Amino acid sequence: MINVKSITGCLIIKGSGMTSLRAFSNLEVVKYDKDLCPGSFINFEKYMVLISAYIAAILVSDNMLLRYLGMPKLRKVRKFNNNKICLKIQITAGFSGMRLIFNPSVCLFEEENNRLLNTEKFVNFHVDICDPTRTYCRLDIEQGIFNEANLPTGCQVLEYVLLLNYTKPTEELQYKLNSIEEIWGALIITNTDLTSISFPKLNKIYNTALQFPTILVQNNTLLKSISFPEMKV
Ligand SMILES: *[C@@H]1O[C@H](CO)[C@@H](O)[C@H](O)[C@H]1NC(C)=O
Ligand SMILES: *[C@@H]1O[C@H](CO)[C@@H](O)[C@H](O)[C@H]1NC(C)=O
């Protein structure tokens, strides 16, 4: 394994006793090919609340002892282009690149996490950042969506979607938004009575959410101004 640089098919590491994935330390690219991955239709019975079937190029799940990833070269995780079968799957279920879920002991270094966020559709449930230099916020429930009521104060990185739906304007809400620099999910603002809203530090949204567009601002009849002065497109 140690010499493997590229995998076409998929990589599933589920329920293992491994403490790191250093066995894949030279892996650079995983190209998902449905025909080579019959086992990748996975039904998470407990998590039907999301979508019943997920397809992932890399699935790392339920590895109780996994502490570190140790895949320093992994840069590309994507589905095969021009694959008709793949397109058909996408309609019925969400495709993700790497799904890193239910590994209770793992942490990701910031550099590592940023690298993986730049691959296609990286999904990361409840993974801690090792030695964090910023305030990362997530909710206790799996892929909990932030809203005006449950959003903590002082978050710099939201680890999932922020949804403001039927929200009333308050100073407290704007104060909570002032610190946000990144969102790993999506930003959805719908049906609110907000008249103005600003995200003074928000500079990146990584769309890791399967069911939402990256930014959706819709039916906010009183909204006159919305600003993202730091956003990089
Ligand atoms: C907003 O709230 C309404 C009413 O509760 C709900 O039907 C709708 O799905 C919500 N929008 C989103 C994007 O969740
Ligand atoms: C638009 O938002 C208002 C609340 O501001 C709501 O009453 C109305 O039902 C919404 N319309 C649609 C089409 O969702």
Side-chain angles (χ1 to χ4, degrees):
M1 280 299 165
I2 201 83
N3 292 320
V4 174
K5 284 192 174 172
S6 168
I7 293 177
T8 300
C10 50
L11 174 61
I12 298 177
I13 302 169
K14 190 165 191 263
S16 82
M18 285 195 266
T19 54
S20 84
L21 303 183
R22 289 198 178 102
F24 299 94
S25 56
N26 282 308
L27 185 61
E28 293 169 16
V29 182
V30 175
K31 283 179 269 182
Y32 175 82
D33 183 338
K34 184 247 175 200
D35 293 338
L36 300 173
C37 302
S40 59
F41 288 84
I42 291 154
N43 229 339
F44 293 105
E45 283 137 32
K46 281 187 287 180
Y47 305 99
M48 290 292 272
V49 41
L50 302 171
I51 306 171
S52 61
Y54 285 108
I55 297 146
I58 304 181
L59 175 69
V60 180
S61 84
D62 305 276
N63 300 289
M64 294 300 140
L65 304 179
L66 191 63
R67 196 73 191 90
Y68 299 108
L69 228 48
M71 295 166 121
K73 296 186 179 164
L74 184 62
R75 275 177 203 287
K76 274 197 184 151
V77 183
R78 58 184 181 86
K79 57 184 172 289
F80 247 1
N81 290 328
N82 307 323
N83 182 335
K84 276 188 215 142
I85 301 161
C86 234
L87 286 175
K88 208 165 134 195
I89 297 165
Q90 264 195 298
I91 295 164
T92 56
F95 172 85
S96 52
M98 182 168 194
R99 294 181 72 79
L100 192 56
I101 58 179
F102 317 128
N103 305 288
S105 313
V106 79
C107 70
L108 293 183
F109 292 98
E110 286 173 329
E111 172 285 320
E112 185 173 46
N113 189 65
N114 289 344
R115 181 162 43 78
L116 294 173
L117 279 167
N118 281 310
T119 62
E120 193 174 332
K121 290 278 181 196
F122 175 55
V123 175
N124 160 2
F125 285 2
H126 285 205
V127 172
D128 283 321
I129 298 296
C130 327
D131 309 326
T133 61
R134 293 192 286 180
T135 304
Y136 292 82
C137 294
R138 68 182 180 214
L139 298 172
D140 285 340
I141 48 168
E142 301 301 342
Q143 287 215 322
I145 292 180
F146 291 99
N147 59 40
E148 67 279 9
N150 66 19
L151 181 66
T153 301
C155 298
Q156 290 171 289
V157 180
L158 300 186
E159 295 197 17
Y160 199 51
V161 174
L162 174 60
L163 168 66
L164 301 177
N165 189 21
Y166 291 97
T167 302
K168 304 265 177 256
T170 61
E171 272 177 33
E172 189 195 1
L173 172 63
Q174 185 54 58
Y175 181 73
K176 288 173 173 181
L177 301 179
N178 287 347
S179 59
I180 300 174
E181 297 171 7
E182 280 181 24
I183 298 175
W184 306 345
L187 175 60
I188 312 296
I189 305 174
T190 46
N191 312 316
T192 71
D193 291 337
L194 301 173
T195 53
S196 81
I197 189 167
S198 87
F199 296 86
K201 293 189 180 159
L202 183 63
N203 60 74
K204 262 187 202 150
I205 300 178
Y206 293 98
N207 189 349
T208 61
L210 302 174
Q211 71 273 42
F212 293 115
T214 308
I215 299 183
L216 176 67
V217 180
Q218 204 169 55
N219 187 34
N220 303 284
T221 49
L222 306 178
L223 192 61
K224 291 210 173 72
S225 97
I226 179 163
S227 73
F228 306 95
E230 295 296 317
M231 188 74 92
K232 299 176 185 99
V233 187

